[in-house]
């Protein structure tokens, strides 16, 4: 009974873990993923991972569907980390890249004068870190708050950013689609 269920589950989990672990072969072996202890489950995920993702691995990840990627990360012990409800601005948009993150905070008049303006503002500094293998991920202060539009995101087009993902909204969507930046909002 119960012993047989465990026997049936183990080969399937080892097969899945081995498949996803093979994409990260330089990081850990299949054996490391196949035998996580319950108390150390997350050590097979973020804490066991490198600080950078190789171009080879990035290419492999780009071939996966979103669902396969999310399921694989879950199996490997990564906690959920996605933006709920984000939709592409146009059909067929897909992006893959190393994340450059920006977090917006609610406007505060008492510190507004301290915020650098224009090209030296924090989001523009983040834009300069982006390139073709980067996806800028912008955490808004709410789903209806815009993180930018055509003027701000012109710089992302110039830098040939790999994509933009936000839990907020974006303005000037027709222009954004024309820029060719895969955008999910």
């Amino acid at each position: 009974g119960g012993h047989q269920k465990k026997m049936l589950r183990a080969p399937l989990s080892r097969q899945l873990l081995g498949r996803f672990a093979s994409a990260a072969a330089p990081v850990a072996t299949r054996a490391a993923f196949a035998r996580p202890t319950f108390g150390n489950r997350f050590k097979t995920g973020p804490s066991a991972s490198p600080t950078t993702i190789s171009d080879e691995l990035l290419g492999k990840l780009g071939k996966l569907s979103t669902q396969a990627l999310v399921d694989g990360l879950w199996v490997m012990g990564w906690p959920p980390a996605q933006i709920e409800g984000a939709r592409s601005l146009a059909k067929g948009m897909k992006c893959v890249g190393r994340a450059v993150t920006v977090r917006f905070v609610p406007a505060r008049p008492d510190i507004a004068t301290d915020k650098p303006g224009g090209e030296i503002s924090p989001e523009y500094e983040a834009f300069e870190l982006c390139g073709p293998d980067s996806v800028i991920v912008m955490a808004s202060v709410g789903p209806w708050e815009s993180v930018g539009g055509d003027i701000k995101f012109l710089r992302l087009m110039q830098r040939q950013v790999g994509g933009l993902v936000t839990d907020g909204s974006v303005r000037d969507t027709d222009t954004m689609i024309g820029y060719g930046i895969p955008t999910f909002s």
Side-chain angles (χ1 to χ4, degrees):
H3 179 69
Q4 188 174 10
K5 280 185 181 178
K6 286 183 184 176
M7 292 296 288
L8 291 174
R9 285 186 187 162
L12 177 60
S13 65
R14 285 189 184 116
Q15 181 182 3
L16 287 172
L17 292 168
R19 189 174 94 206
F20 287 104
S22 66
V27 177
T29 65
R30 289 182 185 193
F33 287 116
R35 294 188 197 106
T37 60
F38 189 74
N40 293 326
R41 180 170 172 224
F42 288 109
K43 289 194 177 176
T44 63
S47 64
S49 297
T51 57
T52 59
I53 295 175
S54 70
D55 291 338
E56 179 185 1
L57 181 55
L58 199 60
K60 288 179 181 181
L61 293 173
K63 294 176 184 174
L64 295 174
S65 69
T66 302
Q67 191 60 50
L69 180 60
V70 169
D71 288 350
L73 291 173
W74 178 79
V75 167
M76 291 172 57
W78 284 71
Q82 67 268 356
I83 292 180
E84 298 280 338
R87 304 273 188 264
S88 63
L89 292 185
K91 283 188 171 194
M93 288 187 165
K94 184 174 181 177
C95 65
V96 62
R98 295 171 187 90
V100 175
T101 60
V102 176
R103 181 175 177 232
F104 290 90
V105 295
R108 288 188 40 201
D110 60 321
I111 61 171
T113 57
D114 293 338
K115 180 190 177 278
E119 297 161 0
I120 58 171
S121 68
E123 62 263 38
Y124 280 97
E125 287 185 19
F127 292 174
E128 296 307 309
L129 299 174
C130 294
D133 291 334
S134 302
V135 174
I136 190 146
V137 180
M138 304 178 92
S140 181
V141 293
W144 310 117
E145 300 296 321
S146 174
V147 295
D150 63 343
I151 295 170
K152 184 185 281 188
F153 296 141
L154 174 63
R155 185 63 184 145
L156 293 178
M157 183 194 72
Q158 293 168 339
R159 301 220 26 100
Q160 300 176 346
V161 68
L164 182 148
V165 179
T166 182
D167 59 352
S169 62
V170 295
R171 296 185 306 274
D172 312 313
T173 56
D174 289 339
T175 303
M176 290 295 294
I177 293 168
Y179 285 169
I181 301 169
T183 303
F184 297 81
S185 168

